[in-house]
C-alpha cells in the first residue's frame, strides 16, 4: 500500500508531497524549509531515497537540492533544464524504481514551462497517482505566461496538449496531486477542490472539456498580474539554493528601529491589521501573519531592501522568517518583540481609523475624500464604487503621486490588502482610513456599480477575501 502525504504551504498556495511504501519514500517539489518533510518521513519511519522536481519553480525557492544532499537521496531534474549543480537528469518516458514496490514514469508536460515534467507513480503494477506540478491542476491548469510574452502563446497550447496527454495515458482512477492551485498565483484561474482524479478532471477541467481554441481564449482572458518576486525565483532555483538559515536575527532597540526607518529600510509589524491601526511605531509597515503575508511583502518590497521584523513574540518572528526564506529573503536585518510602546521607546504611537463600507457610504457626502480601490483588475471589473481611484496593491508604491489629495479611504475585497496599503500611505504622511470589511457589504449598502456586460458578482466574489 502506498501512502501519499501532502505538506501544505498555504502562504504561497502550494503543496509538497511525500509518498512512501512503509519503507522508502520519494518527495515531489519540496519547499525551501524542507525540515517539515524530514519530520514527516521520520514520523512515518521511512527513508527518503528520491527527490523529484516537476519544474524550475517561479513562485518559491526550492529545498530540493539541500534536502537531497542532507538525506543522501537522488535529485531528479529535467535533463534539459540548465542548472549549476549536479543532479540525476531525467527525460520523458524514463522509469525510475523507488524501493521494491514503487516505479515512477517521467511524462513531459510542457505548458507551465517548456521543460515541465509530471511523474506517474505505479505500485505493484497498479497506477496509483500522478504528480502534476504546474500542469493539470484541480479544475484548471498552471499559467503559461511566467516566462514572458514571447513564450505565452506556445506554452498555453502546449498546456492544453499536456492535459490531454495525461488524460489519455492514465486510468480514470489515478489520483492527481498538483503542486500549485491552492491559492498560488501560478494557477491560471481559481482552482477548485482539495482532491481529484483523472476521471474527475475529464468531467470538470476546462482543459479537458473545451476544445483547444476555447481553452486558450478563456485562459488568456483570465490572466492577471503575478508577484514581482517571481523574477528572482527561477535564477535562484537554477543556481542551486542551499539550506536556509532560520536562526533568530539580532534584536534592535528603539533607537536602532528609528534609524532603520529614517534610512528608508522596511520595518514590518507582523500583528494583525486591527492591532496595528490602533497603535504602531511611526513609519513602520504592516503585513500581518494572519493573511497572505509573504506574497504581498515579497511583491511590494524593493528587492534587497533591509527588513526588520516586529512581532508580538519570538515565535511570530520565527514564523515570518520561515515564510520569507521560501521566497529567498533569507536573513532579516533585525527583530524586536513585545509591543509598539516598547518599540517606540517613549515616542508617541501612530494610529489611523478603520471603518466599514456602511461608514464609507455615510462619509461620501463630505468633501476632501478619496476612495482607493486596491483590488486586482478582474475584481474591479465585476463591481466597483463609482468615482473611486483604482490602483492594484502591487502598483501602489510606484504610483503614489496619482492618489489625489485628501483623506484616503482604502478598500479591497476583505480588508487585508487595504490594511497593507493604509499602513504604507500612513507611513508616508497621508491621512488614511482602512475599510476593514467584506466587499459583499459594499454591494449590500448600494455603493457599487456592476457593469451590464458582465454577470453580477456572486461566487467569484468569494475567491479573494483578503
Amino acid at each position: 500500500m502506498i501512502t501519499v502525504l501532502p505538506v501544505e504551504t498555504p502562504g504561497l498556495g502550494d503543496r509538497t508531497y511525500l509518498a512512501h511504501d512503509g519503507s522508502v519514500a520519494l518527495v515531489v517539489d519540496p519547499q525551501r524549509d524542507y525540515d517539515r518533510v524530514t519530520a514527516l518521513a521520520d514520523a512515518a519511519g521511512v527513508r527518503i531515497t528520491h527527490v523529484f522536481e516537476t519544474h524550475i519553480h517561479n513562485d518559491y525557492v526550492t529545498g530540493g537540492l539541500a534536502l537531497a544532499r542532507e538525506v543522501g537521496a537522488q535529485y531528479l531534474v529535467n535533463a534539459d533544464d540548465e542548472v549549476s549543480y549536479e543532479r540525476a537528469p531525467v527525460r520523458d518516458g524514463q522509469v525510475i524504481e523507488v524501493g521494491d514496490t514503487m516505479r515512477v514514469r517521467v511524462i513531459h508536460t510542457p505548458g507551465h514551462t517548456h521543460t515541465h515534467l509530471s511523474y506517474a507513480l505505479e505500485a505493484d503494477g497498479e497506477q496509483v497517482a500522478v504528480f502534476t506540478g504546474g500542469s493539470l491542476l484541480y479544475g484548471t491548469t498552471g499559467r503559461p505566461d511566467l516566462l514572458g510574452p514571447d513564450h505565452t502563446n506556445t506554452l498555453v497550447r502546449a498546456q492544453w496538449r499536456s492535459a490531454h496527454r495525461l488524460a489519455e495515458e492514465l486510468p480514470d482512477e489515478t489520483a492527481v496531486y498538483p503542486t500549485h492551485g491552492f491559492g498560488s498565483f501560478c494557477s491560471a484561474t481559481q482552482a477548485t477542490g482539495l482532491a481529484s482524479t483523472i476521471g474527475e478532471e475529464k468531467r470538470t477541467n476546462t482543459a479537458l472539456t473545451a476544445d483547444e481554441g476555447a481553452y486558450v481564449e478563456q485562459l488568456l482572458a483570465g490572466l492577471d498580474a503575478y508577484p514581482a518576486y517571481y523574477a528572482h525565483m527561477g535564477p535562484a532555483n537554477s543556481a542551486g539554493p542551499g539550506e536556509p538559515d532560520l536562526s533568530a536575527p539580532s534584536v534592535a532597540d528603539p533607537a536602532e528601529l528609528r534609524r532603520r526607518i529614517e534610512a528608508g529600510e522596511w520595518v514590518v509589524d507582523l500583528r494583525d491589521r486591527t492591532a496595528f491601526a490602533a497603535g504602531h511605531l511611526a513609519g513602520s509597515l504592516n503585513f500581518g501573519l494572519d493573511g497572505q503575508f509573504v506574497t504581498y511583502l515579497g511583491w511590494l518590497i524593493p528587492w534587497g531592501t533591509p527588513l526588520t521584523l516586529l512581532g508580538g513574540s519570538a515565535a511570530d518572528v520565527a514564523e515570518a522568517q520561515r515564510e520569507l526564506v521560501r521566497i529567498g529573503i533569507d536573513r532579516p536585518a533585525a527583530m524586536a518583540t513585545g509591543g509598539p510602546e516598547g518599540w517606540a521607546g517613549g515616542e508617541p504611537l501612530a494610529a489611523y481609523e478603520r471603518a466599514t463600507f456602511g461608514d464609507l457610504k455615510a462619509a461620501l457626502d463630505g468633501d476632501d475624500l478619496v476612495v482607493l480601490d486596491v483590488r486586482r483588475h478582474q475584481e474591479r471589473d465585476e463591481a466597483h464604487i463609482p468615482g473611486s481611484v483604482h490602483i492594484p496593491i502591487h502598483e501602489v508604491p510606484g504610483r503614489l503621486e496619482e492618489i489625489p489629495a485628501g483623506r484616503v479611504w482604502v478598500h479591497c475585497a476583505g480588508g487585508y490588502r487595504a490594511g497593507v496599503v493604509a499602513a504604507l500611505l500612513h507611513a508616508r504622511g497621508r491621512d488614511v482610513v482602512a475599510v476593514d470589511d467584506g466587499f459583499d457589504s459594499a454591494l449590500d449598502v448600494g455603493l457599487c456599480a456592476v457593469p451590464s456586460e458582465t454577470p453580477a458578482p456572486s461566487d467569484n466574489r468569494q475567491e479573494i477575501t483578503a
Side-chain angles (χ1 to χ4, degrees):
M1 180 178 295
I2 303 302
T3 301
V4 179
L5 301 173
V7 182
E8 305 279 356
T9 305
L12 295 176
D14 290 325
R15 282 180 175 177
T16 294
Y17 298 97
L18 180 125
H20 70 83
D21 62 2
S23 177
V24 299
L26 63 88
V27 176
V28 181
D29 289 346
Q31 289 274 341
R32 183 85 181 284
D33 54 325
Y34 61 84
D35 57 338
R36 296 181 294 158
V37 178
T38 54
L40 202 61
D42 290 344
V46 296
R47 180 170 57 92
I48 298 170
T49 59
H50 294 73
V51 178
F52 294 84
E53 296 283 8
T54 59
H55 59 292
I56 301 298
H57 300 281
N58 289 291
D59 67 330
Y60 66 85
V61 177
T62 182
L65 179 62
L67 169 61
R69 286 174 173 170
E70 178 171 315
V71 301
Q74 289 190 50
Y75 187 40
L76 300 101
V77 178
N78 194 322
D80 292 331
D81 282 323
E82 296 183 3
V83 297
S84 302
Y85 48 83
E86 293 186 8
R87 71 340 176 81
V90 291
R91 297 186 182 277
D92 183 58
Q94 190 171 340
V95 176
I96 295 95
E97 294 186 0
V98 181
D100 296 329
T101 57
M102 295 188 288
R103 289 160 56 89
V104 177
R105 178 164 64 95
V106 181
I107 305 174
H108 184 212
T109 49
H112 191 47
T113 66
H114 292 288
T115 56
H116 188 284
L117 301 175
S118 295
Y119 298 105
L121 174 61
E122 178 184 294
D124 294 326
E126 178 184 352
Q127 190 66 59
V128 176
V130 59
F131 299 97
T132 56
S135 183
L136 189 67
L137 312 184
Y138 295 154
T140 185
T141 61
R143 62 192 299 164
D145 61 328
L146 298 183
L147 300 185
D150 292 344
H151 300 272
T152 301
N153 188 60
T154 298
L155 287 173
V156 69
R157 295 182 182 279
Q159 190 74 294
W160 185 86
R161 293 190 295 272
S162 292
H164 280 260
R165 180 182 181 187
L166 292 172
E168 291 163 3
E169 293 187 7
L170 298 173
D172 283 0
E173 61 272 19
T174 305
V176 176
Y177 293 109
T179 300
H180 305 314
F182 308 96
S184 170
F185 280 86
C186 279
S187 180
T189 58
Q190 185 75 16
T192 56
L194 297 175
S196 190
T197 62
I198 288 292
E200 180 65 19
E201 293 307 309
K202 284 181 178 180
R203 292 187 291 273
T204 61
N205 196 308
T206 304
L208 298 174
T209 59
D211 63 34
E212 183 177 351
Y215 162 79
V216 168
E217 181 179 359
Q218 180 177 333
L219 186 143
L220 294 181
L223 294 177
D224 208 333
Y226 54 83
Y229 68 81
Y230 277 25
H232 305 281
M233 302 299 96
N237 288 326
S238 296
E243 181 181 356
D245 180 0
L246 293 174
S247 61
S250 61
V251 176
D253 61 18
E256 181 181 347
L257 294 176
R258 178 52 50 200
R259 286 196 303 271
R260 290 187 178 279
I261 289 172
E262 291 176 352
E265 298 182 12
W266 275 34
V267 175
V268 170
D269 191 324
L270 303 172
R271 297 175 301 149
D272 66 60
R273 56 189 180 271
T274 301
F276 183 86
H280 57 269
L281 175 63
S284 63
L285 305 177
N286 181 224
F287 293 83
L289 288 173
D290 59 325
Q292 286 185 281
F293 158 74
V294 73
T295 293
Y296 287 112
L297 191 152
W299 202 336
L300 270 61
I301 191 170
W303 204 249
T305 300
L307 174 64
T308 295
L309 301 175
L310 307 179
S313 67
D316 290 339
V317 174
E319 179 183 346
Q321 277 187 265
R322 182 172 288 272
E323 292 206 41
L324 288 166
V325 298
R326 295 169 183 160
I327 65 167
I329 299 177
D330 279 9
R331 293 300 299 159
M335 63 175 277
T337 58
E341 292 82 3
W343 303 331
E347 294 182 7
L349 298 183
Y352 53 78
E353 291 183 31
R354 294 165 51 248
T356 67
F357 281 106
D359 298 327
L360 173 57
K361 183 177 182 180
L364 285 175
D365 294 334
D367 297 325
D368 199 31
L369 179 152
V370 179
V371 179
L372 178 62
D373 180 351
V374 298
R375 298 174 302 156
R376 301 204 305 263
H377 292 287
Q378 291 174 344
E379 296 172 88
R380 185 174 173 86
D381 287 345
E382 293 175 358
H384 67 276
I385 299 173
S388 59
V389 176
H390 180 225
I391 304 178
I393 181 173
H394 59 281
E395 297 180 13
V396 169
R399 298 175 60 185
L400 293 173
E401 71 285 352
E402 298 179 31
I403 303 173
R407 195 174 208 207
V408 184
W409 290 60
V410 189
H411 85 83
C412 60
Y416 187 85
R417 289 173 290 176
V420 168
V421 173
L424 182 71
L425 296 179
H426 197 248
R428 285 155 176 76
R430 296 299 301 263
D431 182 14
V432 299
V433 177
V435 179
D436 195 356
D437 199 0
F439 197 71
D440 286 1
S441 297
L443 297 166
D444 294 340
V445 301
L447 270 176
C448 294
V450 179
S452 59
E453 66 273 14
T454 59
S458 54
D459 291 344
N460 285 341
R461 287 183 292 161
Q462 307 306 317
E463 293 178 1
I464 302 169
T465 57

